[in-house]
Amino acid sequence: MSTIVIFKLLGSLALLMFGMKSMSEALQKMAGPQLRHVLGAMTTNRFTGMLTGTLVTASVQSSTATTVMTVSFVNAGLLTLAQAISVIMGANIGTTLTAWIMSAGMSFNIMDAAWPAFLVGIILIYQKKYRYIGDFLFGLSFLIFALGTLRQTGTEMHLGENQAVLDFFASFDPNSFVTTIVFLLLGGVLTFCVQSSAAVMAITMILCSSGALPIYQGIALVMGENIGTTVTSNLAALSANTQARRAALAHMFFNVFGVIWILFVFRPFIDMVCGWVGYDVNMTKETAGTGAFLANSAKLSFVLAAFHTTFNVANTMILIWFIPQIEKFVCWVIKPKRVDEEEDFRLHFITAGFMKTPELSVLEAQKEISSFSERMQRMFGMVQELLNLSSSQQNKDKNNEQEFNKLFTRIEKYESISDNMELEIAQYLESVSDAHLSDDTKGKIRAMLREVSELESIGDSCYNMARTINRKFAAKQDHFIEKQYEHLHQMMGLTDQALTQMNQLMGGRKEAFNVNRTFNIENEINNYRNQLKAQNIIDVNNHEYTYAEGTIYIDLVNECEKLGDYVVNVVEARMGTRQREA
């Protein structure tokens, strides 16, 4: 076998993988938001969830993309883990469309169709309105070209007439269970190594359709490929959150369970599929002749595609009734991580390696920002608690002082966390923005960068208030009078309402959010701040408290008002409205 043929084979596989990736990304850019809405709306029960997973995966040609979207909905509370498992089952069926496309490419000479597709694709790419259709056509052209080249290369290699290759596969006993297990493991390892089930499927189709690899070993490779692709997703999910790891484990359980039961009915099941396609499993080169044998072998690419689909449909029909049990199993295996939140600096939703396309990366970043927003409200709650603890210093309780110091340290850690989160999310969004994005997604990234900046400012405001309270507490100064505490609690109550409104928006859909409620609370905060500043001057002049105490008191009031402004800025960025005049 010449070196040029080997490079032609490897280059064709690389082009095949690139074409699949380009097609998937282009389809997601065209229909990303709509696909997310479909996933959210059409998973009312296990059967609609399965159907949705099938249709979405068949549309975007990526089971990974469907799985990632599904997991993000689970994290957002829009789907239960049980519903997510049904979608992942459907994704396994949808991904078998790839095998049918490849079998068609292996059976017919479709290379001529690539050239007009390339021409139309490049024309559309340079037209802004249709550039995603152009991207899709280019990906499809590469896929067609790669499949045609693979078919030609397979023919040039004459594998069915290569005695060394035939002797190698003949050395395995076709009737041995051990042979099936060996090829199953080989398929899993190959898929894990090349990180592409499509590439392994293409290699298997070349070997089988050339007559070099018997059908039973070929199907064992396909079964191994099903397991190998779940190993990749489980390794990628190791750094992800609990729900992502559970979804990845459910995916692996689904495929491993399917492989186990198919091994018990291995030959009858394959013979049934071969009968549907019209392949004669008993034909040999010696009895039928080389021409008839190779013509019969040419049907094997369709046998592999038919097996892949039948296997996944049958497995889904069995396991769809046991989704609650699968959910309990994966929850039992993967326990939630018990991490002290104040010490947990890593991001929960953004995970390196788990995301595959920029459009979906933006969805994950949005969930991370929502988590950031909730964390900032918890930080403000700690500031309110710190104010309460400072008011009880008059009891001279040493335990109270220790509790105060402990809480202040937690607030300091939260401030550090907010700085880290802003930096990491912003860096992630910047890396995503380097990719080829839709205009809608570019706008979302700009808005998100503004959101994280304003959320970090909320953290700064909370920390400034905590430092002011701590300074007064540490100096053992006289306490605020009861009226001041009442005013501060009322002001902080209004600020907390603003934060609650902000989190409702960040965790939900902006179409259902009434932005006027946020503006009304902001007006209340501004008016109350003005009222308290005027009253403070009167109270100081009446010697109700000292000027120094009045200054600290008004510092806290002003910081609440600033925090309210940051909240409005976050809401405006999320809603896509213009920033107000200062």
Side-chain angles (χ1 to χ4, degrees):
M1 193 185 301
S2 68
T3 307
I4 190 68
V5 172
I6 293 173
F7 278 118
K8 200 173 176 183
L9 175 67
L10 295 175
S12 301
L13 289 172
L15 199 58
L16 173 74
M17 292 159 66
F18 178 75
M20 291 289 295
K21 183 174 182 290
S22 299
M23 277 176 62
S24 177
E25 288 187 358
L27 283 163
Q28 287 173 64
K29 285 171 191 170
M30 284 191 280
Q34 288 76 9
L35 287 174
R36 295 199 280 273
H37 295 159
V38 167
L39 265 180
M42 287 183 61
T43 50
T44 50
N45 60 56
R46 67 185 76 181
F47 295 102
T48 57
M50 182 267 292
L51 183 63
T52 303
T54 303
L55 294 175
V56 169
T57 305
S59 299
V60 299
Q61 285 292 292
S62 172
S63 57
T64 303
T66 308
T67 302
V68 169
M69 278 194 283
T70 305
V71 169
S72 65
F73 277 129
V74 175
N75 289 332
L78 300 175
L79 288 181
T80 64
L81 183 60
Q83 288 172 318
I85 292 169
S86 70
V87 174
I88 290 168
M89 286 181 177
N92 272 281
I93 297 173
T95 197
T96 62
L97 178 65
T98 306
W100 285 102
I101 294 170
M102 291 172 66
S103 64
M106 292 289 181
S107 303
F108 311 109
N109 184 14
I110 56 174
M111 274 187 75
D112 291 342
W115 309 118
F118 273 127
L119 177 62
V120 175
I122 197 68
I123 292 170
L124 293 177
I125 283 173
Y126 283 102
Q127 295 186 28
K128 189 175 180 182
K129 188 177 179 182
Y130 301 108
R131 67 179 182 273
Y132 304 130
I133 299 174
D135 286 341
F136 170 75
L137 282 175
F138 242 65
L140 181 62
S141 304
F142 280 128
L143 176 66
I144 292 171
F145 186 75
L147 288 172
T149 308
L150 280 170
R151 180 173 177 270
Q152 282 184 358
T153 309
T155 306
E156 289 171 15
M157 290 166 76
H158 303 292
L159 292 172
E161 299 165 19
N162 189 317
Q163 200 56 44
V165 175
L166 291 172
D167 289 344
F168 171 75
F169 288 120
S171 66
F172 294 93
D173 182 1
N175 298 314
S176 170
F177 181 73
V178 174
T179 298
T180 304
I181 297 299
V182 167
F183 276 85
L184 191 149
L185 293 173
L186 181 62
V189 171
L190 276 172
T191 305
F192 175 71
C193 290
V194 301
Q195 296 282 297
S196 171
S197 56
V200 178
M201 178 66 85
I203 293 168
T204 308
M205 284 183 175
I206 289 174
L207 289 169
C208 285
S209 58
S210 65
L213 181 65
I215 183 60
Y216 298 110
Q217 283 93 310
I219 282 180
L221 279 175
V222 172
M223 288 161 55
E225 166 232 304
N226 265 14
I227 295 176
T229 194
T230 64
V231 172
T232 303
S233 62
N234 272 272
L235 288 175
L238 283 177
S239 61
N241 53 61
T242 301
Q243 294 290 35
R245 288 183 295 127
R246 285 173 176 169
L249 180 62
H251 192 195
M252 176 178 271
F253 175 84
F254 176 86
N255 284 358
V256 170
F257 177 85
V259 167
I260 290 170
W261 73 257
I262 210 80
L263 287 173
F264 286 99
V265 291
F266 190 61
R267 283 181 175 267
F269 192 89
I270 294 171
D271 291 345
M272 176 187 73
V273 174
C274 289
W276 291 345
V277 177
Y279 171 77
D280 185 353
V281 291
N282 297 313
M283 185 183 289
T284 63
K285 190 184 294 186
E286 290 74 21
T287 58
T290 303
F293 176 74
L294 291 177
N296 191 45
S297 297
K299 299 176 184 175
L300 281 176
S301 58
F302 284 109
V303 173
L304 290 170
F307 170 81
H308 200 205
T309 302
T310 309
F311 164 72
N312 280 294
V313 170
N315 201 26
T316 299
M317 291 302 101
I318 293 168
L319 288 178
I320 200 166
W321 306 102
F322 299 98
I323 286 176
Q325 288 74 22
I326 296 172
E327 181 184 21
K328 286 178 184 174
F329 171 73
V330 296
C331 290
W332 173 72
V333 173
I334 299 178
K335 303 286 192 300
K337 292 181 180 178
R338 299 185 179 278
V339 183
D340 181 15
E341 181 146 25
E342 285 73 56
E343 303 295 338
D344 185 15
F345 288 91
R346 71 179 184 82
L347 302 179
H348 291 279
F349 298 96
I350 293 171
T351 50
F354 198 58
M355 293 309 305
K356 297 295 178 187
T357 61
E359 300 290 323
L360 291 175
S361 300
V362 170
L363 180 65
E364 294 303 295
Q366 185 58 60
K367 300 295 180 293
E368 199 65 69
I369 293 170
S370 179
S371 172
F372 189 5
S373 176
E374 289 169 6
R375 200 184 287 247
M376 290 303 94
Q377 185 167 13
R378 286 199 296 276
M379 184 180 182
F380 184 72
M382 291 179 201
V383 174
Q384 290 177 289
E385 192 181 339
L386 196 73
L387 182 66
N388 291 335
L389 287 172
S390 73
S391 67
S392 57
Q393 188 195 12
Q394 58 199 356
N395 299 328
K396 305 296 181 185
D397 185 353
K398 193 165 185 179
N399 289 333
N400 176 67
E401 188 172 341
Q402 288 176 346
E403 195 175 341
F404 181 95
N405 291 331
K406 184 180 177 183
L407 183 58
F408 180 71
T409 303
R410 285 183 70 196
I411 293 170
E412 282 186 312
K413 287 179 180 176
Y414 258 66
E415 207 279 328
S416 177
I417 288 172
S418 73
D419 289 345
N420 278 284
M421 288 190 78
E422 182 201 17
L423 187 63
E424 289 187 32
I425 295 172
Q427 285 176 343
Y428 181 77
L429 287 171
E430 283 173 6
S431 68
V432 170
S433 66
D434 290 337
H436 183 38
L437 300 171
S438 63
D439 293 337
D440 181 48
T441 303
K442 286 177 184 174
K444 284 179 183 174
I445 288 178
R446 285 193 296 271
M448 282 192 253
L449 286 168
R450 183 179 161 203
E451 286 166 23
V452 292
S453 174
E454 298 294 345
L455 285 169
E456 195 275 332
S457 296
I458 289 175
D460 288 343
S461 273
C462 290
Y463 184 49
N464 288 340
M465 281 188 268
R467 283 196 304 176
T468 301
I469 295 167
N470 181 59
R471 195 162 59 244
K472 182 172 174 60
F473 184 88
K476 309 290 183 188
Q477 295 174 353
D478 292 336
H479 284 273
F480 294 134
I481 62 174
E482 188 174 338
K483 182 169 70 171
Q484 286 175 305
Y485 278 118
E486 286 176 7
H487 292 159
L488 285 172
H489 286 312
Q490 190 171 342
M491 186 64 155
M492 287 184 170
L494 285 170
T495 309
D496 194 56
Q497 283 180 40
L499 287 164
T500 300
Q501 287 288 308
M502 177 184 76
N503 279 315
Q504 283 178 2
L505 171 63
M506 302 303 280
R509 301 223 10 217
K510 63 182 182 182
E511 292 81 5
F513 184 74
N514 182 7
V515 74
N516 290 326
R517 175 68 180 139
T518 297
F519 292 142
N520 290 339
I521 295 172
E522 169 64 5
N523 288 332
E524 282 187 62
I525 291 172
N526 289 342
N527 293 335
Y528 196 49
R529 185 272 314 265
N530 294 338
Q531 180 187 330
L532 293 181
K533 284 178 78 173
Q535 185 63 45
N536 177 65
I537 295 170
I538 296 169
D539 291 342
V540 169
N541 288 336
N542 291 338
H543 304 294
E544 291 190 31
Y545 45 81
T546 65
Y547 178 81
E549 288 168 352
T551 302
I552 293 174
Y553 165 65
I554 290 301
D555 281 348
L556 291 172
V557 170
N558 284 334
E559 207 61 60
C560 281
E561 193 276 331
K562 274 190 203 173
L563 198 154
D565 286 342
Y566 298 139
V567 167
V568 171
N569 291 342
V570 172
V571 169
E572 287 181 336
R574 181 79 175 90
M575 294 296 290
T577 53
R578 193 176 55 186
Q579 193 163 4
R580 299 165 304 145
E581 295 296 324

